[in-house]
Amino acid sequence: MLLITGLGNPGAQYARNRHNIGFMAVDEIHARHRFSPWSKKFQALISEGMIDGEKVLLFKPQTFMNLSGQAVGEAMRFFKLSASDLVVIYDELDLPPAKLRIKAGGSANGHNGIKSIDAHMQGLLGSRDYRRLRLGIGHPGAKELVHHYVLGDFAKADNEWLEVLFTALADNIAYLVKRDDNGLMNKVALALAGKTANQENKAAPTAKAAPKAQSHIRQARQHHTMAAKLPASGPMADMLAKLFGKKDS
């Protein structure tokens, strides 16, 4: 069994926060696969389903971010899971927007939700080597701006890459279940690269077709037509003859 945990803060006022990208990702997985309705258990919202023949629990702690480990630890103890059975999805400041990275273990890198889970996992299993699926949100540029930034909402312009990211992640979640992390990262990267290419093609100005060169036959016909229209006699003919140096025969 795999416990896929998305991190975030409960409540409508936090729903669009950058800090809640883990909740958003898990919600998309829930929407695209056959999972049970959300129910409250282990201080969290939990849903059960099957992916690629394996039982999967989707998990959204409702303890607020800083206490995420309480809910995760309670579920891990109840189901008697090991560190390898846990995947945590969360926001990463040090990755550019739309980038996805997966690794087992590592540092919390200042993320309070991960700090809380690390503490509970260390006490429960003596190991923090669960898989961490980090979703890039970018960095505001200065440490003092981080708190406001992560608790701020995504901009409307972010919706395009968020939609592609969540769709690609949910559609290829079987790679995560099969422990093929590189396969999942490649699929998501390709989906995002395709979106970028389409945007560039739409933005590129359409080149105007160069005028077609006239054939020698067409040029000759036009010259003949013009020549045929010139007067053969009269004042105009005399003037043209003087202009082009034509001599009387």
Side-chain angles (χ1 to χ4, degrees):
M1 184 169 68
L2 192 67
L3 182 67
I4 300 179
T5 299
L7 297 188
N9 288 310
Q13 68 270 37
Y14 302 108
R16 286 282 301 168
N17 284 184
R18 294 178 181 89
H19 222 20
N20 272 43
I21 196 171
F23 274 10
M24 297 177 194
V26 168
D27 282 338
E28 189 67 21
I29 297 169
H30 184 271
R32 288 182 170 270
H33 297 274
R34 292 183 177 180
F35 278 86
S36 64
W38 292 105
S39 60
K40 292 182 178 180
K41 197 173 184 179
F42 312 119
Q43 304 179 71
L45 293 178
I46 189 169
S47 177
E48 180 181 323
M50 297 289 293
I51 294 178
D52 201 43
E54 184 168 345
K55 185 177 180 179
V56 174
L57 296 177
L58 300 179
F59 200 73
K60 296 194 295 181
Q62 300 295 290
T63 53
F64 285 92
M65 184 69 79
N66 294 4
L67 300 175
S68 298
Q70 291 183 4
V72 173
E74 192 174 331
M76 295 288 289
R77 284 191 295 271
F78 181 86
F79 292 110
K80 297 179 173 59
L81 301 177
S82 66
S84 62
D85 299 321
L86 174 65
V87 177
V88 180
I89 305 176
Y90 62 98
D91 55 297
E92 177 57 73
L93 286 163
D94 289 341
L95 284 177
K99 292 294 183 181
L100 179 153
R101 293 290 183 271
I102 309 172
K103 66 176 293 187
S107 167
N109 199 24
H111 194 288
N112 289 331
I114 296 299
K115 286 181 182 179
S116 177
I117 294 174
D118 280 354
H120 280 79
M121 291 293 289
Q122 188 67 42
L124 177 64
L125 301 171
S127 171
R128 298 180 299 177
D129 291 338
Y130 58 90
R131 284 187 290 167
R132 302 152 194 248
L133 197 163
R134 300 175 294 145
L135 301 178
I137 61 171
H139 199 286
K143 187 176 181 180
E144 60 270 19
L145 299 177
V146 166
H147 180 76
H148 177 75
Y149 179 76
V150 298
L151 293 179
D153 286 356
F154 282 107
K156 288 183 179 180
D158 294 322
N159 288 339
E160 287 193 10
W161 67 260
L162 284 169
E163 181 179 351
V164 177
L165 174 65
F166 293 149
T167 299
L169 174 58
D171 285 351
N172 295 285
I173 200 65
Y175 285 92
L176 190 72
V177 175
K178 293 183 293 187
R179 275 71 173 174
D180 184 0
D181 297 342
N182 287 332
L184 176 60
M185 287 190 285
N186 289 337
K187 287 291 186 180
V188 173
L190 286 171
L192 289 162
K195 178 65 176 178
T196 302
N198 289 336
Q199 288 175 334
E200 289 176 352
N201 289 336
K202 288 179 181 179
T206 304
K208 292 184 179 180
K212 292 183 179 180
Q214 292 181 337
S215 68
H216 294 298
I217 296 174
R218 186 177 180 84
Q219 291 176 355
R221 284 176 178 172
Q222 289 181 339
H223 178 74
H224 176 75
T225 302
M226 291 176 64
K229 292 180 179 179
L230 295 177
S233 61
M236 180 63 71
D238 293 338
M239 183 184 74
L240 291 173
K242 290 179 180 179
L243 181 63
F244 293 105
K246 184 179 178 181
K247 297 181 179 179
D248 293 333
S249 56

